[in-house]
Amino acid sequence: MLDEAIARTRTLQARLQKIGASHAIFTSESAIAYLAGFWGYLGIEFGRPTMLIVPADAEPVVITPLMESDMVAEMTWVSDVRGWEDAGQNSWARALSGALPETPDALWIERSEIPAIIRNCLEDRYADVPLKDIGPVLGQQRMIKSPFEISVMRQAGQIAGAMMAAAHGSLQAGAREYESALAVIDAGTRAAAGFLTDTGWERFVSPMIHNLQILQSGTDTAMVHRRASVKPYGRFDPVYFCFCNMAQFKQYKLGFDRMFHIGEVRDKDALVQQAAIDAQQAAIAAIRPGVEAQDIAAAANEVYAARGFETGYRTGRSIGVAFLEAPELKAGDRTVLQPGMTFAVDGGISVDGMTAGRIGDSIVVTENGCDYLTDYPRQLLVTDG
């Protein structure tokens, strides 16, 4: 992991030199994990920013709360870790100024990610210095995943498969939504633990599956991102599980969804769900190097149109160390697909405010097409309960 992070940073530094940027300031957890190889658990939401300063021609600097600095120093390959304190002269603003040139020509920031308190500080301290966006530069670099990254994402896919199997096994009439969420967390955590050791860098990686389970059942299945509740399942109920904020490992995040039906499935539910499955499969069949991202969405939308449906959803998104990366599989995105790109590819449709079809998998683009990173039956799923 750390060797990868070093190589990525060197690649970025060459890009900085090419565009004439002397320094780049990274504040997002995903960028810092990608380049410096560490992440934390208490951050800007508690008023305690962590930052990575990458000069074009010198070693990077990590700025982090003093209380986090011991763990950060153990996790990262960056040797210059500067801790700051909540009170006194050793503030984060002073540490940040000390890591930047006195009179920079420009400040390169993650424009869409930088917290307001950090941006305000920069605008006050460097009032006449333009703020430029480094986000697209790093985003383009992150589009193509290395073999190491893909191997981690495959592990995340196996963990997600264990989670989905547990979700499936929890379904029966009378059981409650939150009980399924507990089963998912338990199965995923145990699967993740099987990939970890308690030595070296891995001792800082938690196997715990977390975040609130996205789950809807019955007439609520069109509420795409409702969370698991105490609602009991009934016979005929469709049940939708989305793991897009839970299927992750070593900071790599996948997309993975399935819809189940308890005991039996009504004709209309089956019709809509099959349309979602067929649309997703048409999109996946269209994925190969040289195709534009928008063409994948078009392949799915042709299926919906042929069945008399319309959808306002994108067909997929790039995945990696952030929940959303570039490009997206939607109309207007003309990015040409290349081997090593990774996507969550969804089939999703809502009808009449109550009926929905959902399915989602993660894939990696290969030389000849794509491979699945997640695996579970891609068909109408009806439980015995």
Side-chain angles (χ1 to χ4, degrees):
M1 173 70 174
L2 296 185
D3 288 344
E4 284 263 326
I6 294 171
R8 295 167 189 160
T9 304
R10 301 307 182 214
T11 298
L12 175 66
Q13 288 176 310
R15 293 183 179 217
L16 294 179
Q17 294 173 24
K18 187 174 182 179
I19 64 174
S22 65
H23 290 69
I25 304 168
F26 294 98
T27 50
S28 68
E29 182 180 85
S30 64
I32 292 171
Y34 182 80
L35 295 167
F38 78 90
W39 56 90
Y41 299 98
L42 297 178
I44 192 64
E45 63 270 28
F46 289 86
R48 294 194 171 104
T50 289
M51 294 166 276
L52 174 67
I53 315 303
V54 180
D57 56 2
E59 290 303 299
V61 176
V62 169
I63 298 171
T64 195
L66 185 62
M67 68 174 64
E68 306 290 340
S69 59
D70 287 341
M71 185 179 76
V72 168
E74 287 290 321
M75 290 182 74
T76 185
W77 65 272
V78 178
S79 59
D80 190 350
V81 177
R82 305 180 188 182
W84 60 267
E85 300 171 57
D86 289 317
Q89 295 299 306
N90 187 25
S91 67
W92 64 261
R94 178 164 291 191
L96 176 57
S97 293
L100 296 172
E102 185 68 24
T103 55
D105 293 331
L107 291 173
W108 291 77
I109 62 172
E110 296 174 280
R111 188 181 296 277
S112 63
E113 300 280 353
I114 189 168
I117 62 170
I118 299 177
R119 181 166 184 154
N120 291 343
C121 173
L122 293 173
E123 289 178 340
D124 289 343
R125 171 69 176 80
Y126 303 95
D128 298 323
V129 177
L131 299 180
K132 297 188 176 182
D133 193 5
I134 196 63
V137 177
L138 185 62
Q140 185 177 44
Q141 181 177 330
R142 280 163 45 171
M143 281 186 187
I144 308 298
K145 309 303 187 293
S146 70
F148 171 81
E149 291 179 284
I150 293 169
S151 71
V152 172
M153 296 176 83
R154 289 191 188 281
Q155 290 176 341
Q158 293 181 55
I159 295 165
M163 293 160 63
M164 194 64 76
H168 194 166
S170 74
L171 296 177
Q172 58 181 343
R176 295 178 183 270
E177 291 179 345
Y178 79 88
E179 294 173 318
S180 295
L182 290 173
V184 166
I185 291 169
D186 181 74
T189 297
R190 294 181 186 280
F195 288 110
L196 294 171
T197 67
D198 61 355
T199 60
W201 176 84
E202 281 194 344
R203 74 187 190 276
F204 299 107
V205 179
S206 174
M208 298 301 298
I209 297 299
H210 58 283
N211 288 333
L212 289 174
Q213 174 68 63
I214 297 172
L215 188 163
Q216 307 95 49
S217 65
T219 57
D220 290 347
T221 52
M223 301 178 186
V224 182
H225 293 122
R226 186 171 73 72
R227 310 296 175 165
S229 72
V230 298
K231 180 179 182 293
Y233 302 126
R235 191 169 181 83
F236 289 102
D237 270 356
V239 185
Y240 169 54
F241 289 89
C242 172
F243 292 159
C244 291
N245 68 338
M246 297 177 73
Q248 54 182 296
F249 187 56
K250 295 182 178 178
Q251 289 298 105
Y252 282 85
K253 302 164 178 67
L254 306 185
F256 191 34
D257 308 334
R258 285 295 184 274
M259 179 83 83
F260 301 92
H261 297 82
I262 295 180
E264 298 180 61
V265 57
R266 295 183 176 89
D267 289 344
K268 183 176 182 180
D269 290 336
L271 181 70
V272 173
Q273 177 62 12
Q274 193 62 54
I277 293 170
D278 292 346
Q280 187 226 28
Q281 289 298 292
I284 289 174
I287 293 174
R288 61 185 181 277
V291 173
E292 291 185 355
Q294 65 178 359
D295 294 337
I296 310 305
N301 290 336
E302 285 180 9
V303 173
Y304 294 128
R307 310 288 171 88
F309 297 128
E310 294 182 4
T311 179
Y313 308 144
R314 66 188 172 203
T315 300
R317 56 189 169 84
S318 183
I319 52 175
V321 288
F323 288 109
L324 173 63
E325 302 201 355
E328 297 179 68
L329 305 178
K330 65 181 183 181
D333 194 322
R334 305 202 63 177
T335 305
V336 176
L337 303 193
Q338 301 176 58
M341 287 182 170
T342 50
F343 293 96
V345 185
D346 301 322
I349 187 170
S350 296
V351 179
D352 66 28
M354 293 187 295
T355 308
R358 301 275 186 267
I359 185 172
D361 283 288
S362 291
I363 62 92
V364 55
V365 181
T366 64
E367 295 291 343
N368 300 312
C370 68
D371 286 342
Y372 285 103
L373 297 171
T374 52
D375 193 30
Y376 209 76
R378 300 173 188 94
Q379 61 192 46
L380 200 63
L381 297 169
V382 184
T383 72
D384 296 329

